[in-house]
Amino acid sequence: MQFELFLLAAPVILFSMVAHEYAHGYAALKQGDPTAYQLGRLTWNPVKHIDPFMTILLPIMTWFGSGGGFIFGGAKPVPVVPRNYRNFKRGDIVVSLAGIASNVVIAVGAVLVLVLLGLLGRAVPALAETCAILQVMMSYGIFFNLLLAYFNLLPIPPLDGSHVMKYLLPPRWALHYQNFGRFGILVLLLLFTVGRPFFATLMMPLFVMTRFAFGIAFPFIIPSQVVPNPFLGMA
């Protein structure tokens, strides 16, 4: 059953990661930086965005390592050259938040599709099981996109939120903050390992948002006889 759920989750998660990076590249283009476009990265072709570790190994490791209870990963970052932005500060903020915004939009869209599938499955009983399975996919879409949006908002370099935080700090602090960015990956690794209790506390708002989303969708969820929805308990 764990493998079957992974097969349902994987395409939704891949689409969400590609959308996140596409949004960065598109926003950069609109702000005056054509780098992603010129390098062929402004595309929905997932092959162009696949990173062997972040896109393949990490999702598999987190999924099966958690017994199917958690999954995380990312696509290959699109290249941007901030000095090309017409307005450096505005461009940096817009491009950084574009990926987060895309995931929020997808999460909201997944809630709406889940509700529509529920209405369709109840109106046409012959489609109920198919709708229920598709609802499982949408459930992963809700959770993973909220996860991507919230996680990237954390003000830990090089996450997207750090590009906004540096403008909220006094200039001297901002300089030290950006220099700290070279240790950002190490900080994230520590949070994922020895700092798990603190990381779990840090992620509590994510679970509050997820419960809220599933609270809206719960009355429309159709129980599947083939693949149980793992998020029913969050409603």
Side-chain angles (χ1 to χ4, degrees):
M1 187 59 66
Q2 188 178 341
F3 182 69
E4 286 84 351
L5 285 173
F6 181 77
L7 291 179
L8 290 176
V12 178
I13 292 167
L14 179 60
F15 173 78
S16 303
M17 293 188 292
V18 169
H20 183 97
E21 293 304 327
Y22 182 92
H24 282 315
Y26 182 78
L29 181 64
K30 290 301 181 180
Q31 294 301 312
D33 175 34
T35 305
Y37 174 75
Q38 292 171 345
L39 294 177
R41 292 294 308 280
L42 195 58
T43 174
W44 287 98
N45 180 0
V47 175
K48 297 286 188 177
H49 299 282
I50 288 177
D51 176 84
F53 177 74
M54 289 293 294
T55 315
I56 300 175
L57 290 178
L58 185 59
I60 292 174
M61 290 166 57
T62 53
W63 174 273
F64 290 101
S66 65
F70 182 76
I71 189 167
F72 188 71
K76 188 191 325 182
V78 296
V80 296
V81 181
R83 66 173 177 269
N84 290 334
Y85 299 153
R86 286 185 291 272
N87 181 302
F88 181 86
K89 179 179 178 179
R90 183 182 65 191
D92 195 19
I93 293 174
V94 168
V95 172
S96 298
L97 294 181
I100 295 171
S102 71
N103 292 125
V104 172
V105 169
I106 293 173
V108 172
V111 172
L112 294 176
V113 172
L114 191 153
V115 169
L116 291 175
L117 286 168
L119 294 173
L120 176 62
R122 289 172 183 172
V124 186
L127 297 177
E129 186 59 41
T130 300
C131 289
I133 293 173
L134 292 175
Q135 282 186 327
V136 174
M137 296 181 72
M138 291 304 103
S139 296
Y140 279 110
I142 296 168
F143 174 74
F144 189 73
N145 279 281
L146 289 178
L147 171 61
L148 272 180
Y150 179 75
F151 181 77
N152 277 286
L153 266 178
L154 297 178
I156 303 173
L159 299 180
D160 297 332
S162 67
H163 291 268
V164 178
M165 176 60 72
K166 67 185 180 185
Y167 294 113
L168 302 177
L169 298 172
R172 182 176 296 181
W173 289 17
L175 180 60
H176 291 304
Y177 178 69
Q178 291 180 77
N179 290 334
F180 171 76
R182 71 187 72 175
F183 305 108
I185 297 298
L186 177 60
V187 172
L188 291 173
L189 288 174
L190 290 174
L191 280 175
F192 290 151
T193 53
V194 296
R196 273 185 167 180
F198 176 72
F199 183 67
T201 302
L202 197 64
M203 300 299 283
M204 284 303 297
L206 165 67
F207 294 105
V208 171
M209 291 187 293
T210 305
R211 287 192 182 94
F212 175 76
F214 280 105
I216 295 173
F218 180 75
F220 303 92
I221 293 178
I222 302 171
S224 171
Q225 303 301 314
V226 179
V227 184
N229 193 316
F231 295 96
L232 282 176
M234 299 193 73

